Amino acid sequence: MLRAIILCLILVTCSAYRLLAVFPFPGKSHMILGEGYVRLLLEANHDVTYLTPAPLKIDHPKLRQIDVSSTEKGFDFDGLFNFKKLINKEVDLSDTNHKYIVMQYVTESLLMHPNVQKLLLDTDQTFDAVIVEWMYSDLYSGFSTVFNCPFIWSSSLEPHPMILRLIDSLPNPAYFPDHTSSLEPPYTFLERVEQLWNIAKTLYNRWRLKEKEESIYENAFGPAVKKRNRVLPPYNEVKYNGSLILGNSHVSTGVAFSLPQNYKAISGYYIPKKIPQLPDKIKNIMDKAKNGVIYFSMGTMAKSKTLPEELKRNLVDMFGNLKQTVIWKFEEDLDGLPNNVHIVSWAPQQSILAHPNCVLFITHGGLLSTTEALHYGVPIIGIPVFADQFLNIKRATTKGFALEVDINYETPGNLKFAIDEILNNPKYRENIKQLSLVYHDRPVSPAAELVHWVEHVVKTKGALHLRSPALHVPFYQKLYLDLLAVILMMPLVLCKLLKYMKNKLFGVLKKKGKKTKKNQ
Ligand SMILES: *[C@@H]1O[C@H](CO)[C@@H](O)[C@H](O)[C@H]1NC(C)=O
């Protein structure tokens, strides 16, 4: 009897939720972020269904994976993220409009993927909450409508207008830049105008995609909702119905913007408490490096092998003349490497940064890399290539723990200059140690926060108490344009009124005048 009661109590207090995590974008860093959710939610004893292009190689009784890997073929990653083409300006990845168009196309093919449709059309499937990554499209919000449960946005970027507008007012462009802008406030007059222009342009371009977006929404989710005997709610109501945004951001890497109550900054949640041991080969190299190790990685999207030959050689020569040891993550072998330069095709980045001999990180400046540099307190040299990398590096240089070098044929020389400066001037190291303290000094760990907020949303059935009233106030009301219209109309109305009264009065006088004339 007692045992039965205890068992019941345990079951009641450790209720497991059924959660769906949708991270279908086949970029490595996005998969790392998705994996973080899966790992933490499984550890918290929940049932997790993970929709991913790269199924995890783990067997867990509470994990089910939905494989959408075939969509990866639709991406021309090597064509797009190609250093040679970027340097020669053959591709322009700064065009956000293009990004929204491409991502709409990608999202459509993901949503219509047979495995996704199978999940949606299976009426036996139920979930307590859905976590969806925001990737230049609001369409994944539709999952929540099919499963009739609350949903949470996962954001891989620092807070930016196009995602915040889904849970609050559009932030003011006078001081809140979009994630593709590398301008930091305070702005000059012209910069402020430029920010306004940028956001207006983005909004206009997204408005042009609206019709197509709504038809994707209806095609992807309509049949599944109908099969569950419900009516598909309007897209506009669903996409603004997110319970939370969990952002891989933190004030230590970003700016102290005021954020809505349901934006939670949980930067670094995916970094495990215990980092994996370094492979013996790398460990040996690092242990022996008397003058410190410089770790060089341009991330996973753009492959280093697409670097022009001349640039590769000049980089190797420049590294060869340094007294530090260089570990370069590179996808191909180079011959004639100097003794102090080591090429690794795969690198456990966190474990390398955590090694006490690591003195510098040369990176493309993706948010995960900047976050990890901060986590382990290693100063950086950024060579930004696309997306938010320019902004991340700009912020890092403003905060004084980074230097920026452009990617072009002069990179090796400029890089040498930057390496000398950053290693010989102690201020970079001091700054990153200070910011690393800010980053780590939180009341609870970001991993615990992630689990807490996901559970909170389920427990409170969508955390309606955290939603901003600004969502339901139309733009013209926020700007008091209606009041402005009234004020502008006032003189006009007044004029008309005076004219009317004048005419009336004159009319009466004239009549009177005529009458008196007749009487004379
Ligand atoms: C919005 O979310 C709440 C809480 O999850 C839910 O009750 C409601 O049905 C949702 N509305 C729409 C239109 O999806």
Side-chain angles (χ1 to χ4, degrees):
M1 183 68 184
L2 193 66
R3 267 195 208 156
I5 290 174
I6 291 176
L7 191 69
C8 278
L9 275 178
I10 289 175
L11 283 179
V12 168
T13 45
C14 328
S15 55
Y17 299 133
R18 292 175 53 78
L19 304 167
L20 170 66
V22 180
F23 286 81
F25 184 69
K28 182 76 178 133
S29 42
H30 299 268
M31 296 179 208
I32 292 175
L33 291 174
E35 218 178 299
Y37 277 86
V38 173
R39 184 170 48 79
L40 294 169
L41 294 170
L42 285 177
E43 277 169 18
N45 209 26
H46 298 300
D47 289 296
V48 180
T49 301
Y50 183 38
L51 201 154
T52 174
L56 303 173
K57 287 175 193 66
I58 49 169
D59 243 345
H60 192 291
K62 291 182 151 249
L63 172 66
R64 180 172 57 139
Q65 309 199 62
I66 301 199
D67 185 346
V68 293
S69 55
S70 53
T71 49
E72 210 166 322
K73 295 192 195 93
F75 292 90
D76 178 20
F77 276 152
D78 287 348
L80 217 51
F81 301 107
N82 180 312
F83 284 115
K84 203 179 264 169
K85 290 188 187 169
L86 282 164
I87 292 171
N88 297 336
K89 310 243 178 298
E90 284 166 36
V91 283
D92 179 12
L93 293 174
S94 62
D95 182 357
T96 27
N97 181 27
H98 182 68
K99 211 171 315 181
Y100 283 107
I101 295 175
V102 171
M103 283 317 294
Q104 183 174 64
Y105 170 76
V106 169
T107 308
E108 181 177 20
S109 64
L110 280 163
L111 289 174
M112 299 318 282
H113 190 287
N115 290 349
V116 176
Q117 282 300 319
K118 200 170 120 204
L119 174 82
L120 290 170
L121 289 167
D122 181 353
T123 48
D124 290 337
Q125 301 293 332
T126 57
F127 293 103
D128 295 308
V130 187
I131 299 146
V132 293
E133 188 185 18
W134 186 88
M135 211 28 214
Y136 299 96
S137 168
D138 311 334
L139 275 164
Y140 294 126
S141 53
F143 279 93
S144 69
T145 229
V146 173
F147 300 113
N148 205 10
C149 65
F151 76 99
I152 296 167
W153 294 110
S154 159
S155 165
S156 59
L157 305 165
E158 285 292 329
H160 60 95
M162 293 322 277
I163 192 164
L164 287 175
R165 83 187 207 297
L166 291 169
I167 59 164
D168 196 22
S169 291
L170 189 76
N172 192 334
Y175 55 82
F176 206 135
D178 200 3
H179 68 288
T180 44
S181 155
S182 58
L183 288 175
E184 284 286 293
Y187 297 136
T188 63
F189 172 72
L190 281 181
E191 284 170 347
R192 205 154 40 83
V193 173
E194 189 188 329
Q195 294 300 329
L196 181 64
W197 170 243
N198 283 346
I199 202 81
K201 211 168 58 179
T202 307
L203 287 174
Y204 170 69
N205 285 327
R206 297 214 52 189
W207 175 80
R208 288 202 318 183
L209 292 173
K210 205 171 145 217
E211 214 170 300
K212 172 87 178 126
E213 197 167 322
E214 281 181 7
S215 86
I216 298 174
Y217 167 77
E218 277 158 27
N219 292 339
F221 302 110
V225 170
K226 198 162 161 222
K227 211 170 163 197
R228 286 171 171 78
N229 295 322
R230 279 186 277 117
V231 183
L232 187 71
Y235 180 46
N236 242 349
E237 278 174 31
V238 173
K239 73 173 183 178
Y240 292 113
N241 201 23
S243 301
L244 288 180
I245 295 176
L246 293 177
N248 184 45
S249 69
H250 189 251
V251 67
S252 54
T253 36
V255 177
F257 292 126
S258 56
L259 292 167
Q261 298 272 344
N262 49 352
Y263 183 98
K264 304 294 174 192
I266 53 165
S267 169
Y269 68 86
Y270 66 92
I271 301 178
K273 255 191 240 129
K274 221 178 132 260
I275 38 165
Q277 271 235 317
L278 279 170
D280 285 342
K281 189 183 145 208
I282 300 181
K283 184 165 186 311
N284 270 337
I285 298 173
M286 294 197 78
D287 285 348
K288 274 193 290 192
K290 280 194 307 294
N291 295 311
V293 173
I294 296 174
Y295 172 54
F296 179 28
S297 165
M298 290 299 280
T300 42
M301 293 292 256
K303 302 274 182 270
S304 335
K305 65 177 179 219
T306 61
L307 277 175
E309 207 56 43
E310 176 196 341
L311 198 53
K312 263 187 243 180
R313 280 283 32 128
N314 290 345
L315 277 172
V316 170
D317 291 345
M318 185 272 290
F319 287 142
N321 287 328
L322 296 174
K323 62 178 197 292
Q324 285 79 18
T325 301
V326 177
I327 297 181
W328 186 357
K329 192 194 90 64
F330 199 73
E331 297 82 16
E332 68 180 324
D333 272 331
L334 294 178
D335 339 303
L337 278 185
N339 284 338
N340 67 327
V341 181
H342 303 271
I343 284 186
V344 291
S345 57
W346 174 82
Q349 177 158 305
Q350 293 164 16
S351 312
I352 292 182
L353 293 175
H355 194 288
N357 284 349
C358 188
V359 290
L360 172 62
F361 180 20
I362 306 175
T363 167
H364 62 321
L367 192 56
L368 298 201
S369 292
T370 345
T371 306
E372 286 163 27
L374 206 61
H375 192 103
Y376 296 110
V378 180
I380 61 183
I381 294 179
I383 311 180
V385 190
F386 57 87
D388 61 328
Q389 295 165 1
F390 296 93
L391 180 63
N392 295 337
I393 294 301
K394 185 78 171 191
R395 284 186 179 157
T397 48
T398 313
K399 285 168 191 274
F401 66 88
L403 286 174
E404 180 174 349
V405 172
D406 290 337
I407 180 95
N408 53 35
Y409 288 97
E410 270 84 65
T411 303
N414 295 338
L415 196 55
K416 169 84 176 76
F417 189 77
I419 291 173
D420 286 342
E421 161 70 8
I422 219 160
L423 291 182
N424 295 326
N425 189 339
K427 84 169 188 208
Y428 299 96
R429 219 170 166 79
E430 281 158 18
N431 285 340
I432 191 131
K433 292 286 175 226
Q434 188 57 36
L435 271 168
S436 193
L437 179 86
V438 175
Y439 167 92
H440 285 289
D441 198 24
R442 311 185 209 183
V444 283
S445 76
E449 238 190 291
L450 182 151
V451 175
H452 169 84
W453 287 116
V454 171
E455 290 175 353
H456 184 78
V457 164
V458 180
K459 276 188 235 168
T460 61
K461 300 197 168 45
L464 293 170
H465 54 281
L466 291 178
R467 309 237 177 139
S468 162
L471 267 180
H472 305 289
V473 182
F475 188 65
Y476 76 91
Q477 289 186 12
K478 276 177 197 148
L479 290 187
Y480 282 92
L481 293 182
D482 45 355
L483 174 64
L484 190 68
V486 170
I487 293 172
L488 288 178
M489 297 271 281
M490 222 106 94
L492 211 73
V493 173
L494 221 64
C495 264
K496 281 258 188 259
L497 202 71
L498 281 177
K499 217 171 188 173
Y500 175 77
M501 274 163 54
K502 191 181 95 189
N503 285 349
K504 253 310 199 310
L505 210 65
F506 268 100
V508 173
L509 286 181
K510 253 186 204 161
K511 255 190 206 159
K512 257 195 187 161
K514 270 182 195 163
K515 258 188 201 163
T516 38
K517 252 185 200 165
K518 255 185 206 165
N519 290 348
Q520 271 173 357

